[in-house]
Amino acid sequence: MNPKRFGLPVAAALTAALLSGSAMAQVSDDVVKIGVLTDMNGPASAPTGQGSVTAAQMAIDDFGGTVLGKPISIVIGDHQLKADIGAAIARRWYDVEQVDLIVDVPVSAVGLAVQNIANEKKRLFITHSTGTADFHGKFCSPYAIQWVFDTRALAVGTADAVVKRGGDSWFFITDDYAFGHSLERDASSVITANGGKVLGSVKPPLATPDLSSFVLQAQASKAKIIGIAAGPPNNMNEIKTGSEFGVFKGGQQMAALLALITDIHGLGLQAAQGLLLTTSFYWDMDDKTREWSKRYFAKMNKMPTMWQAGVYSSVIHYLNAIKAVGTDDPLKVAAKMRETPVEDFFARNGKLRDDNLMVHDLWLVQVKTPEESKYPWDYYKILSTISGDKAFGPPDPACAMVKK
């Protein structure tokens, strides 16, 4: 272009137009597309499922529906808790449907399969409902982010807080697979480090129909705390059986290393009363949590789990990062997400570390008695705050992204 021929005003206008076109091209395919990959009808659907979809849509709506002048859209997939189905959907989304970010993805096997696809396709993935610490450990990736919890935070957070409150003798009922074993191992290390004792454990297989004998062994141990190192369905069945056998009335307490508010709702306070657990989020904690949760309740007719609230939090943080850097380039967006503190209704003192784990405060809570509960979903008494650094611990040296 010859500025003298066109005149400076025209040349400046053309240059501005070219720059504007360049900026517009920073959003791939002229749309920011977010895929909610979840369990829509299976055993994980209550704490994730449609509630996670609703949370993501709320975030998009609250953000205004566009970013950098481009629309934000959402797609939904049901992986049916099967790793091969989850991986196939993720591959199609990234390859064909040009999805920029996948969120949610309950259960570790599916989450790790989706992470592999995200790495291969160099697209972002944020997991909320998968707890394995391998996400930010030996399998850590610049494209995969863990937002809500990991097994270490729940196990260590609960054990540390409970021992310091006098619960210094434990007996575990542990799911007999890697998830349960890791919960028991992490909790046991903290118990013994704080001067407590682990009196033993029993290990029922996953989905054991009758857990009576295992609960009776735990009860007979006389341990102050019966640790439930299990996920669904064993964890809720063990708590229900313990209530029926008078564990709480006998002076023992049960501590669930993974339990969600939808689990407590399903059990009912009569069965769950007295249970100790650690959570990343409680809807009735303060004005900020209540305001968002009541809007969610109006759409879902139930209160959100920590996983569903975390979906909203991460999607807003992701969209703000796109706006700040002027592009949806995955690595640039992830870098901005790490650079920006996470302080919202969901997270207190939140930060996305170099290993792509979002570290934030957690809370030790106790399930209320039916008499203590004054209104629907009034389920928890907050006993103490657990700092994120204490709960999650230092970055795993096995992560190649961690600065040595």
Side-chain angles (χ1 to χ4, degrees):
M1 186 195 311
N2 184 344
K4 292 181 179 178
R5 180 180 174 189
F6 288 99
L8 287 176
V10 176
L14 287 171
T15 302
L18 288 170
L19 287 173
S20 173
S22 173
M24 297 282 275
Q26 295 302 307
V27 173
S28 56
D29 303 297
D30 288 335
V31 62
V32 173
K33 191 175 286 187
I34 298 170
V36 183
L37 184 53
T38 188
D39 173 27
M40 292 300 291
N41 300 294
S45 60
T48 62
Q50 182 57 47
S52 294
V53 175
T54 296
Q57 188 63 59
M58 286 174 67
I60 293 168
D61 293 345
D62 287 352
F63 197 80
T66 64
V67 60
L68 302 181
K70 301 298 182 182
I72 307 163
S73 69
I74 191 170
V75 294
I76 305 161
D78 182 1
H79 61 52
Q80 303 170 47
L81 302 183
K82 295 177 181 176
D84 58 340
I85 294 176
I89 293 172
R91 186 178 296 278
R92 186 184 79 244
W93 278 359
Y94 288 141
D95 273 348
V96 180
E97 299 188 35
Q98 299 302 310
V99 166
D100 298 290
L101 168 69
I102 292 176
V103 299
D104 201 17
V105 194
V107 308
S108 295
V110 186
L112 290 170
V114 172
Q115 184 189 37
N116 287 335
I117 306 299
N119 292 342
E120 178 188 334
K121 302 301 177 182
K122 296 180 168 51
R123 299 287 181 93
L124 285 182
F125 164 42
I126 304 177
T127 182
H128 305 83
S129 44
T130 296
T132 176
D134 287 342
F135 267 108
H136 58 89
K138 61 183 179 180
F139 298 140
C140 77
S141 156
Y143 297 98
I145 293 168
Q146 195 163 19
W147 199 261
V148 176
F149 82 116
D150 68 5
T151 50
R152 183 194 186 280
L154 296 191
V156 171
T158 302
D160 182 76
V162 170
V163 171
K164 287 179 178 175
R165 295 176 64 86
D168 55 6
S169 62
W170 288 63
F171 188 96
F172 285 98
I173 307 177
T174 301
D175 272 358
D176 196 13
Y177 65 109
F179 173 76
H181 296 172
S182 65
L183 285 174
E184 180 184 337
R185 180 189 65 243
D186 290 343
S188 296
S189 66
V190 172
I191 292 163
T192 54
N194 281 288
K197 294 180 180 179
V198 177
L199 303 183
S201 68
V202 287
K203 294 182 171 60
L206 180 65
T208 298
D210 185 0
L211 291 155
S212 301
S213 65
F214 301 100
V215 174
L216 285 170
Q217 288 180 72
Q219 196 172 14
S221 74
K222 303 298 183 184
K224 293 179 182 177
I225 307 295
I226 297 174
I228 308 298
N234 280 8
N235 57 350
M236 292 303 107
N237 289 334
E238 286 154 6
I239 294 162
K240 184 178 180 182
T241 303
S243 175
E244 291 169 353
F245 289 179
V247 165
F248 296 111
K249 291 180 180 177
Q252 291 174 297
Q253 284 187 307
M254 296 183 109
L257 301 185
L258 174 62
L260 298 148
I261 196 165
T262 45
D263 298 326
I264 306 306
H265 186 73
L267 277 173
L269 293 184
Q270 192 62 47
Q273 60 183 307
L275 181 71
L276 300 167
L277 61 101
T278 295
T279 185
S280 292
F281 174 80
Y282 177 45
W283 77 269
D284 203 16
M285 190 178 79
D286 59 26
D287 288 343
K288 287 199 295 185
T289 59
R290 281 187 285 272
E291 187 276 330
W292 184 84
S293 299
K294 287 176 179 177
R295 290 200 293 125
Y296 175 94
F297 186 91
K299 298 175 183 294
M300 290 297 300
N301 201 34
K302 62 179 181 179
M303 287 302 177
T305 64
M306 62 179 180
W307 296 341
Q308 292 156 341
V311 167
Y312 178 101
S313 170
S314 66
V315 169
I316 285 285
H317 199 70
Y318 167 74
L319 294 173
N320 275 321
I322 292 177
K323 182 179 178 181
V325 297
T327 177
D328 63 353
D329 176 87
L331 295 184
K332 290 179 181 177
V333 171
K336 175 56 70 172
M337 290 174 73
R338 286 190 294 271
E339 182 184 306
T340 310
V342 186
E343 193 71 35
D344 56 17
F345 80 94
F346 169 78
R348 302 296 187 277
N349 302 308
K351 58 187 176 186
L352 187 60
R353 292 193 317 204
D354 289 342
D355 57 355
N356 273 351
L357 172 68
M358 205 276 276
V359 172
H360 53 281
D361 293 347
L362 291 87
W363 288 271
L364 179 72
V365 303
Q366 185 170 34
V367 177
K368 291 183 174 182
T369 66
E371 295 73 29
E372 289 171 322
S373 179
K374 303 303 182 188
Y375 40 86
W377 297 85
D378 177 23
Y379 293 160
Y380 293 164
K381 291 184 289 187
I382 296 176
L383 302 182
S384 61
T385 302
I386 307 165
S387 76
D389 289 338
K390 178 179 283 291
F392 290 96
D396 187 340
C399 174
M401 296 162 61
V402 173
K403 295 171 183 173
K404 303 294 191 285

